[in-house]
Amino acid sequence: MAKIKNEYKPGDPSVYINFDAIADLPEEYEAVITEVLFDPKNLNKSFVNVGSKSNPSWMPSTELMYKIAEACGISGSPDSETTPIIEDVDINPMLMKGLDAPPTYRRMTVGRSVSKRSSRLMEDGTPLWSSLCTTDYNVWERCMDLWSTEEAYSEGYTKKLNYEKAYKYETMYKRRAHFDSEMKFAHAKAETKAYLKTIRELAGLPTGFTTEDLASGKFVFARVRRSKSLLKMETAARLQAISRGFSGSPPSLFGPVDDGKTSFEQLPEPPVVYDATGDEIPEKPKPSELAIILFKEYLESIKDKELLESGKKTLSWLESTEDPEANAKYYAKALDNLKAIEESIPEAFRIEHHLF
């Protein structure tokens, strides 16, 4: 981590990482450093200028914001609060009536308002939620802007266009169709803009960038996730529990996981069978079934092509044979292959069993 930290200078406007917090990450988590790249010589490709030509203020485009969200590990809540925007509007512009005509007011739905939250996993392993970001998408105002722009360009549709061009909104029928078409996507557009607000908040981005801020051609973010070594150890613990007859999930290596519904102490007892003397015996999978589980787990980590090919063939035979243990010769060979594969796995990630 120190080496990565030294690659970036303090105060660099392109770096959005708390290196001190990452250095103190518990063993359960790891940080993935990601550089989101863009072309600083062609900012119009990845940014939108919300300022002026002489004094630009750049905002990341929707596509670039999605890349930033992925680099930070930001995920939007699946639920959004949506309400219609209802207003009393003068529909004369849609009816193609002049400015001197008496207004024709109509109460109608003119857009959508969407509120959304997103979350991001922080350095201490807890999720950080954004504030509730709300965006209004007023279709009527946007249509009015396009209609009046075309009217000004055409000087009230008195200018004739060449055969390659055509006006888009010169009749009330076209304007009504345009409004209805925009209304179909009002919710999606409002939700996207609300989501982009949550990304900007959780990523710590400013409201605008100067051209100098973007000279490096990159943004640097960190995404916190559960460490791969921990996930492998938990998988090994789960399979070990299965081999001992437990059907539920084993406890987390870092304590029980509270999902709000159940805990490890509340899990049902493992199934029980009885022998001839009446003693209870935990139900366990057959040796061949446990061998299949081990093959599937180990093959995900094998890099040796010969071992991988041999393991796949053995696994295929175990799964396609009704009673592999009945064929002592081939079953013994299968266990030999499993033993060879297991020996290539680091000892810390081997699963405890008693097959050989």
Side-chain angles (χ1 to χ4, degrees), residues 30-322:
E30 63 184 9
V32 179
I33 309 298
T34 302
E35 292 186 350
V36 179
L37 305 178
F38 53 86
D39 185 359
K41 296 181 181 180
N42 186 13
L43 293 178
N44 288 305
K45 185 177 180 180
S46 302
F47 293 83
V48 178
N49 184 6
V50 294
S52 61
K53 289 185 177 180
S54 58
N55 187 25
S57 179
W58 301 99
M59 281 297 297
S61 64
T62 301
E63 182 181 0
L64 185 59
M65 288 293 279
Y66 283 154
K67 293 180 180 179
I68 291 173
E70 183 179 359
C72 294
I74 297 172
S75 57
S77 171
D79 300 321
S80 302
E81 298 178 11
T82 306
T83 56
I85 301 175
I86 302 175
E87 296 180 354
D88 293 320
V89 297
D90 178 12
I91 63 171
N92 275 356
M94 181 183 289
L95 300 176
M96 299 291 292
K97 292 185 178 181
L99 295 176
D100 55 346
T104 306
Y105 285 105
R106 185 76 56 83
R107 188 169 183 80
M108 55 193 294
T109 300
V110 296
R112 291 287 187 273
S113 178
V114 176
S115 300
K116 193 172 184 67
R117 278 192 173 96
S118 296
S119 64
R120 177 183 184 182
L121 190 64
M122 300 306 292
E123 290 82 2
D124 60 356
T126 60
L128 173 66
W129 287 91
S130 70
S131 59
L132 187 65
C133 295
T134 302
T135 297
D136 294 341
Y137 190 86
N138 193 310
V139 173
W140 180 259
E141 291 178 352
R142 293 174 182 273
C143 287
M144 286 276 290
D145 179 53
L146 292 173
W147 297 343
S148 61
T149 299
E150 188 173 82
E151 286 179 350
Y153 170 77
S154 65
E155 296 182 2
Y157 296 106
T158 59
K159 283 186 176 181
K160 292 184 177 180
L161 300 178
N162 59 45
Y163 69 93
E164 293 180 350
K165 297 182 179 180
Y167 290 123
K168 295 180 179 179
Y169 317 115
E170 79 277 17
T171 69
M172 65 176 181
Y173 305 108
K174 289 184 177 181
R175 292 190 175 189
R176 176 59 185 270
H178 175 224
F179 176 81
D180 292 341
S181 175
E182 287 290 326
M183 278 296 300
K184 287 193 303 183
F185 304 102
H187 171 81
K189 291 181 178 180
E191 185 172 37
T192 297
K193 290 184 176 294
Y195 180 44
L196 296 183
K197 284 185 178 180
T198 66
I199 295 173
R200 186 172 70 245
E201 178 182 329
L202 292 175
L205 300 177
T207 54
F209 295 92
T210 64
T211 303
E212 291 74 20
D213 291 337
L214 306 175
S216 65
K218 64 184 177 184
F219 291 133
V220 186
F221 300 97
R223 174 167 58 92
V224 177
R225 68 183 183 187
R226 301 192 74 195
S227 66
K228 291 183 178 180
S229 59
L230 170 70
L231 293 175
K232 288 184 177 180
M233 287 189 289
E234 287 191 342
T235 299
R238 175 177 58 81
L239 293 178
Q240 185 174 333
I242 292 175
S243 70
R244 293 179 177 180
F246 287 89
S247 58
S249 299
S252 169
L253 296 177
F254 289 84
V257 178
D258 181 11
D259 61 1
K261 298 179 181 179
T262 185
S263 65
F264 180 70
E265 289 78 7
Q266 297 170 332
L267 290 174
E269 292 295 326
V272 175
V273 295
Y274 301 87
D275 63 12
T277 63
D279 294 331
E280 295 182 358
I281 304 176
E283 183 181 0
K284 295 183 179 180
K286 295 172 60 178
S288 58
E289 294 175 345
L290 180 56
I292 290 174
I293 294 174
L294 293 170
F295 268 111
K296 288 182 177 180
E297 178 62 26
Y298 287 156
L299 288 178
E300 293 183 1
S301 305
I302 294 298
K303 296 182 179 180
D304 186 280
K305 293 183 179 179
E306 186 175 345
L307 281 177
L308 181 61
E309 186 65 25
S310 174
K312 287 182 177 180
K313 290 181 179 179
T314 306
L315 175 61
S316 177
W317 177 80
L318 288 170
E319 290 182 320
S320 61
T321 304
E322 184 175 351

